[in-house]
Amino acid sequence: MDAFEEAIVLVKKLSGGGPPVTYEGRHYQVHQIEPAPVAAPPVWTGSNGAKSLAATGRVADGWLPGHAADWLSERYRTSRPIIDEAAAAAGRDPREIRTIYNFPGRITDRPLPATRDGDGRWIGGSVGQWVEELTGAVLEHDASGFILFSADHGAADLVTLGRWAGEIVPAVREAIKAS
């Protein structure tokens, strides 16, 4: 985990221009390397263990909880505090570490009586149910984005992707703007 954290720090130091970088880490050492002139893209992790979650809080830009975990899941409730505490201890605002959620599920033509299973995992619903869920995720739980995948964990089919991109995403954007 130390090497993981050092690598994130080094990637950030070696991007965005500036004077040559010297870095003497436990795992990586560089001497007078010119940083790339462009900034590195944000560094996101899919951390699960306590050490990697803490590293995410100290140095990463974002987190994907994985395993279709969202703000209602046990994984999120036990993991996010580790990220936030590590961020605060490092002098960072925990809200700087953004979260994107993986959302499995099907898009149905009619509303489902329940959009979550017995364990509280999202299983899908009508366009309206998706819009309500995702809008709430952004407004109430600071979601930065979503990744759609099919309920069977394979690639989403073209019809589902079309409905996601053509119906759900625009409606969520409008609902957020209207709030």
Side-chain angles (χ1 to χ4, degrees), residues 2-4 6-7 10 23-30:
D2 292 338
F4 168 73
E6 272 188 33
L10 196 51
Y23 180 82
E24 293 290 336
R26 185 170 150 219
H27 299 277
Y28 307 104
Q29 298 81 40
V30 298

Side-chain angles (χ1 to χ4, degrees), residues 5-40:
E5 187 169 347
E6 272 188 33
I8 294 171
V9 169
L10 196 51
V11 163
K12 289 181 173 189
K13 286 183 176 291
L14 290 172
S15 65
V21 172
T22 295
Y23 180 82
E24 293 290 336
R26 185 170 150 219
H27 299 277
Y28 307 104
Q29 298 81 40
V30 298
H31 302 281
Q32 297 295 308
I33 294 182
E34 295 286 330
V38 296

Side-chain angles (χ1 to χ4, degrees), residues 8 21 26 28 36 44 60 77 93-94 104 106 111 116 120-121 130 133 140-141 156 158 169-170:
I8 294 171
V21 172
R26 185 170 150 219
Y28 307 104
W44 289 74
R77 285 192 306 277
D93 180 344
R106 61 190 198 283
R116 291 185 177 268
R121 289 191 123 138
W130 277 91
E133 187 73 15
E140 298 165 23
H141 303 286
L158 292 178
V169 171

Side-chain angles (χ1 to χ4, degrees), residues 32-105:
Q32 297 295 308
I33 294 182
E34 295 286 330
V38 296
V43 177
W44 289 74
T45 74
S47 298
N48 288 310
K51 288 181 181 180
S52 62
L53 288 164
T56 297
R58 286 189 295 270
V59 298
D61 301 303
W63 176 55
L64 288 94
H67 303 283
D70 63 24
W71 55 94
L72 296 176
S73 70
E74 181 68 20
R75 177 181 299 274
Y76 182 86
R77 285 192 306 277
T78 59
S79 298
R80 188 63 204 211
I82 297 169
I83 292 170
D84 293 349
E85 290 167 15
R92 298 179 72 196
D93 180 344
R95 293 172 297 185
E96 290 177 12
I97 298 95
R98 299 172 21 216
T99 305
I100 290 179
Y101 298 100
N102 289 308
F103 260 78

